[in-house]
Amino acid sequence: MSIRSKVFEILPYVVLLAFATFLYGVAQRFVYTPIPGQIGPDFWPRMIIVLLSVCCVFEIGRRLAFSSAATPAPAAVPDEDYEAEVAPLDLDHEQTHPWFVIAAIAASVLYLAALEWTGFFVATVVYVSVLIWLGGVRRLAVLVPSGFAITLFFLFVFSKVIYVSLPIGRGDFERISLTILKLLGVH
Amino acid sequence: MESLTLLFQGLLDIFQPMIFLCLVIGLVIGMAVSIMPGLGLVMGVVLALPFTYTMGLKESIILLTAIYMSGTYAGCFTTILYRIPGEPMDVPLLWDGWGMTKRGEAAKALGWALVAAFTGGMISSAVMVGMAAPLSQLALSFGAPEYFAAVFFGLTTVVALAGNSLGNALISLFLGLLVSTIGIDSTYGADRFSFGSPILINGVPFVMVLVGMYGFGEILAKIGQGASVVEKPAPSSYKTRFPTWAEMWEIRSTIVRSTVLGTLLGVIPGAGATISSFVSYGIEKQYGKRGSQIGTGIPEGIVAPQIASTASVAGHLVPLMTLGLPGSGATAVILAAFLLHGVQPGPFLFQSPESTQLAYTIFTSMFVSVIGMCLLGFLWIRVVVRVLMIPQGLLVAIVIMFALVGAFADRNSISDVWIVVFFGSLAWIFGRFNIPVSPMVLGAILGPIAEDSFTRSMITFHNDWTVFFRQPISAFLLVLAGFSLLYPSLRSILAARSAQRLKSRSA
């Protein structure tokens, strides 16, 4: 195994260990009125952080000591028949399109950031269309109407049936949202 | 006798129009989500939660338990007819179910699956009713150390059964427990890990962790797999042909064994329907009368996993209803629905006549759900399998919107939606590094109960940690917890030894 791949393997545990160390420091500075003879609010989180750190150190050590990180599977995990039978059915869980996932996360972050400003309707039409595209539907004739239909469905169900006050946006977007809500019979 | 009266009253309650409608809707949703590969019954229960905000308690719990129950059954249709397991729990069904379909016995295979789901569901529900009252009496004697030991046992079983690496499972669990400590501490009022953020000061609601990791996260993983078109071979028939009484009598030991196993595994926190299904299949293969033929397309290979997975549902509800401890993602959502309506499940649920009746109405709904899902499966199988034809892109968008808008609807707070996106993304990253998600989710759910009972034990017994080993029930539970942590290592040692023995014998 190359040094690069080994570094990549232990990197998450190193990051977690550093994070745990930072949290331990934070836990030591909790502000509270100590009661003599009692463990205080920092004992439980500190105990967990120590255990987390021990696990990280163990995993780093194990990965440095052995060439492969694989360990035998515990009970109730499908055996090799599972692979043989299921793999041809396209049900393997290989992440062949990680960039699509990153795009979906980025779209979600942008959607949430824009929601207050654009309101639910406008932001959701765009967001849903992007998700449908990322999910594999590429025909515009399906994508855009589906985006509108799904948005209107959610707007109707959550505003009219469950009485959730969804964001309506600001300025022109507010006017668009109110018009749509009026058309759906939501007052 | 009193139980029968309560069950009868429960039956009358269930046939009230609104409650009955919720039950039927729950059954249909459960079937739909369990058929779609990539969606699951936990996701179905999670996504239905926002709709319960405006419902009564009975309607909410019955809707969610119906989804949970039928979610363990409908996956068998696509597994047997199309060789597409809707959920991991359906994979064992594939080997014998598809084997029978290949021989032109699909109708018979569907009949066996229906009989198995019916038997497992009914018997385990009856066991649940029988166990609930005595267990709740026992639970009344539980003090803080016993509660801590029970939660600790639950967490260790989740870790032991969660994945390929014990270290990774423990890391996931500790991260979940840490998440549960965020916000104002309930005992001392100290602000912990909120870093002054108004989003974090009230803590991270475990429902958002659940929605994020099981709902949003799973859909991200589905996007990552790319658009897959499932080509369905045309099945010979959608008909269901029931086995004869004589055929059922022939495999009576399989039926009894799998029902007992499914119910018992259901009671253990962490061992959900998937584990019950695999363990039952494995036990049948090892100890069944026709164990060597399992995998070639025989009824025992369908009956054992299907009974166990359906039986585990009632098993899971036992600790929730009697101890207030959710042992799985789905029961955690049901707990959330209880709490949203201001009711804490646990031993006190069986103390007042009104709440006892509520508990028995829920129990009765389990029996009705089993009958309902079998009827729906029998009559509407052709309609139900059409769910597979929904394009993946639309499904992705719909599920994500349910997750996000559902999270927003809980407290009308956009902060909750940010939390969902964060934990969903984290779940996907976990998947990339082979870190199991379920220990973290259960850690976030059970963390507050674990910490509270631990802190109360320490305060009550003056920081004497030996109290956990001096109380008989907590000592017993801690021994079980120790065993469940050691079990994966023991199993691999034993497997290595037997492999070595076989090797030396063949040499």
Side-chain angles (χ1 to χ4, degrees):
Chain A
M1 187 181 274
S2 70
I3 293 173
R4 198 180 156 182
S5 61
K6 214 158 214 184
V7 168
F8 181 76
E9 237 186 49
I10 63 165
L11 191 66
Y13 303 102
V14 174
V15 171
L16 266 177
L17 191 60
F19 183 58
T21 312
F22 165 71
L23 287 182
Y24 193 87
V26 174
Q28 280 185 312
R29 293 193 298 274
F30 286 156
V31 181
Y32 71 104
T33 314
I35 303 168
Q38 289 196 11
I39 54 174
D42 56 334
F43 183 84
W44 176 261
R46 279 200 292 154
M47 187 171 74
I48 293 163
I49 292 166
V50 169
L51 291 169
L52 174 67
S53 308
V54 169
C55 288
C56 289
V57 170
F58 172 76
E59 284 297 322
I60 292 168
R62 196 164 65 89
R63 278 164 168 76
L64 287 175
F66 302 105
S67 57
S68 169
T71 49
V77 171
D79 56 20
E80 62 277 5
D81 293 347
Y82 173 85
E83 294 301 326
E85 286 287 336
V86 180
L89 293 171
D90 223 6
L91 285 169
D92 56 326
H93 299 294
E94 271 297 307
Q95 294 289 296
T96 50
H97 298 69
W99 288 107
F100 278 17
V101 179
I102 291 162
I105 295 170
S108 305
V109 170
L110 286 173
Y111 170 64
L112 293 185
L115 211 50
E116 285 293 316
W117 178 53
T118 60
F120 180 80
F121 179 75
V122 175
T124 307
V125 169
V126 178
Y127 178 58
V128 164
S129 304
V130 170
L131 288 178
I132 295 173
W133 189 88
L134 289 171
V137 178
R138 302 287 147 80
R139 283 173 53 210
L140 269 180
V142 179
L143 210 138
V144 178
S146 304
F148 272 98
I150 291 172
T151 306
L152 287 173
F153 167 78
F154 276 94
L155 195 60
F156 180 78
V157 169
F158 280 88
S159 302
K160 184 89 176 168
V161 183
I162 312 182
Y163 304 115
V164 176
S165 171
L166 295 166
I168 54 171
R170 292 182 205 142
D172 288 341
F173 293 115
E174 187 180 355
R175 273 190 289 280
I176 294 171
S177 297
L178 291 174
T179 310
I180 299 289
L181 286 171
K182 209 171 170 186
L183 286 173
L184 290 173
V186 181
H187 302 288
Chain B
M1 194 62 204
E2 197 196 353
S3 296
L4 284 178
T5 315
L6 289 163
L7 285 173
F8 183 71
Q9 183 56 46
L11 195 64
L12 294 179
D13 279 353
I14 283 164
F15 285 100
Q16 287 174 15
M18 191 57 198
I19 296 181
F20 189 69
L21 183 68
C22 287
L23 188 135
V24 174
I25 291 172
L27 293 176
V28 173
I29 294 174
M31 288 188 156
V33 291
S34 68
I35 279 177
M36 300 295 302
L39 300 191
L41 62 93
V42 181
M43 195 189 279
V45 178
V46 165
L47 299 181
L49 185 67
F51 292 94
T52 65
Y53 298 157
T54 52
M55 290 178 185
L57 178 61
K58 270 182 204 167
E59 288 89 341
S60 310
I61 306 299
I62 287 170
L63 173 84
L64 299 177
T65 47
I67 296 174
Y68 192 11
M69 182 63 89
S70 66
T72 62
Y73 168 53
C76 75
F77 305 152
T78 47
T79 310
I80 290 168
L81 293 175
Y82 301 126
R83 210 176 158 221
I84 301 168
E87 295 231 30
M89 79 179 87
D90 296 318
V91 171
L93 274 170
L94 184 83
W95 301 318
D96 289 271
W98 180 247
M100 286 182 78
T101 302
K102 273 197 294 191
R103 289 203 307 265
E105 296 174 14
K108 201 64 185 276
L110 288 170
W112 277 114
L114 192 148
V115 167
F118 182 81
T119 315
M122 291 304 261
I123 297 177
S124 66
S125 298
V127 171
M128 179 181 71
V129 172
M131 281 169 79
L135 257 180
S136 68
Q137 282 302 317
L138 177 73
L140 279 175
S141 65
F142 273 32
E146 285 83 2
Y147 259 99
F148 175 74
V151 174
F152 187 73
F153 171 55
L155 294 173
T156 53
T157 46
V158 175
V159 166
L161 299 169
N164 296 332
S165 158
L166 189 63
N168 281 351
L170 282 169
I171 286 171
S172 173
L173 171 71
F174 294 136
L175 286 173
L177 289 172
L178 269 180
V179 166
S180 76
T181 64
I182 295 171
I184 301 287
D185 155 57
S186 61
T187 312
Y188 298 92
D191 176 5
R192 301 188 298 189
F193 304 124
S194 76
F195 304 103
S197 159
I199 296 179
L200 299 176
I201 199 118
N202 290 323
V204 177
F206 73 78
V207 176
M208 299 311 147
V209 180
L210 251 170
V211 174
M213 298 200 102
Y214 282 139
F216 196 78
E218 284 196 24
I219 287 297
L220 287 182
K222 203 167 170 58
I223 291 173
Q225 287 163 32
S228 56
V229 180
V230 181
E231 280 183 29
K232 299 186 293 296
S236 52
S237 162
Y238 287 105
K239 276 184 188 153
T240 301
R241 192 155 64 84
F242 289 107
T244 61
W245 286 109
E247 284 172 324
M248 281 196 272
W249 182 249
E250 244 175 64
I251 62 160
R252 61 191 179 281
S253 50
T254 304
I255 292 173
V256 173
R257 206 170 19 238
S258 311
T259 309
V260 172
L261 207 64
T263 312
L264 285 180
L265 284 172
V267 174
I268 297 171
T274 303
I275 284 164
S276 302
S277 169
F278 275 102
V279 170
S280 181
Y281 188 84
I283 294 276
E284 200 52 41
K285 199 169 184 174
Q286 234 169 344
Y287 303 108
K289 212 164 44 177
R290 293 201 290 169
S292 56
Q293 292 174 49
I294 291 253
T296 60
I298 60 168
E300 288 93 324
I302 296 170
V303 170
Q306 182 62 65
I307 282 191
S309 55
T310 309
S312 69
V313 175
H316 262 318
L317 283 173
V318 173
L320 176 70
M321 301 290 277
T322 58
L323 294 164
L325 298 179
S328 65
T331 46
V333 182
I334 297 172
L335 171 69
F338 266 111
L339 298 177
L340 282 168
H341 289 86
V343 175
Q344 170 70 55
F348 293 104
L349 198 64
F350 295 85
Q351 295 306 301
S352 80
E354 293 83 26
S355 55
T356 307
Q357 184 55 61
L358 168 74
Y360 275 83
T361 303
I362 294 164
F363 292 157
T364 316
S365 78
M366 304 287 289
F367 292 103
V368 180
S369 291
V370 174
I371 298 168
M373 76 179 185
C374 291
L375 271 176
L376 281 177
F378 180 67
L379 298 171
W380 285 0
I381 185 167
R382 192 186 292 268
V383 180
V384 172
V385 293
R386 276 179 184 269
V387 175
L388 275 180
M389 293 164 86
I390 300 174
Q392 185 180 291
L394 294 185
L395 198 73
V396 161
I398 291 169
V399 174
I400 285 191
M401 284 316 294
F402 264 119
L404 299 186
V405 185
F408 178 79
D410 185 21
R411 300 188 293 186
N412 260 30
S413 159
I414 205 84
S415 312
D416 287 344
V417 191
W418 281 108
I419 292 173
V420 166
V421 172
F422 173 78
F423 280 101
S425 311
L426 193 66
W428 181 72
I429 294 167
F430 271 26
R432 303 283 290 173
F433 291 103
N434 287 324
I435 298 175
V437 163
S438 49
M440 178 158 180
V441 174
L442 229 63
I445 294 164
L446 295 176
I449 309 173
E451 184 185 0
D452 180 59
S453 49
F454 179 80
T455 309
R456 278 193 297 122
S457 303
M458 288 291 105
I459 292 172
T460 314
F461 296 93
H462 309 290
N463 295 344
D464 176 13
W465 57 269
T466 60
V467 65
F468 298 113
F469 299 95
R470 282 191 280 112
Q471 313 279 349
I473 296 174
S474 71
F476 173 69
L477 288 167
L478 287 178
V479 168
L480 281 182
F483 176 74
S484 67
L485 267 182
L486 289 175
Y487 176 71
S489 313
L490 280 176
R491 189 178 174 272
S492 55
I493 291 168
L494 288 175
R497 272 193 188 169
S498 68
Q500 213 169 15
R501 222 179 295 141
L502 276 174
K503 210 175 165 185
S504 60
R505 225 181 271 169
S506 60

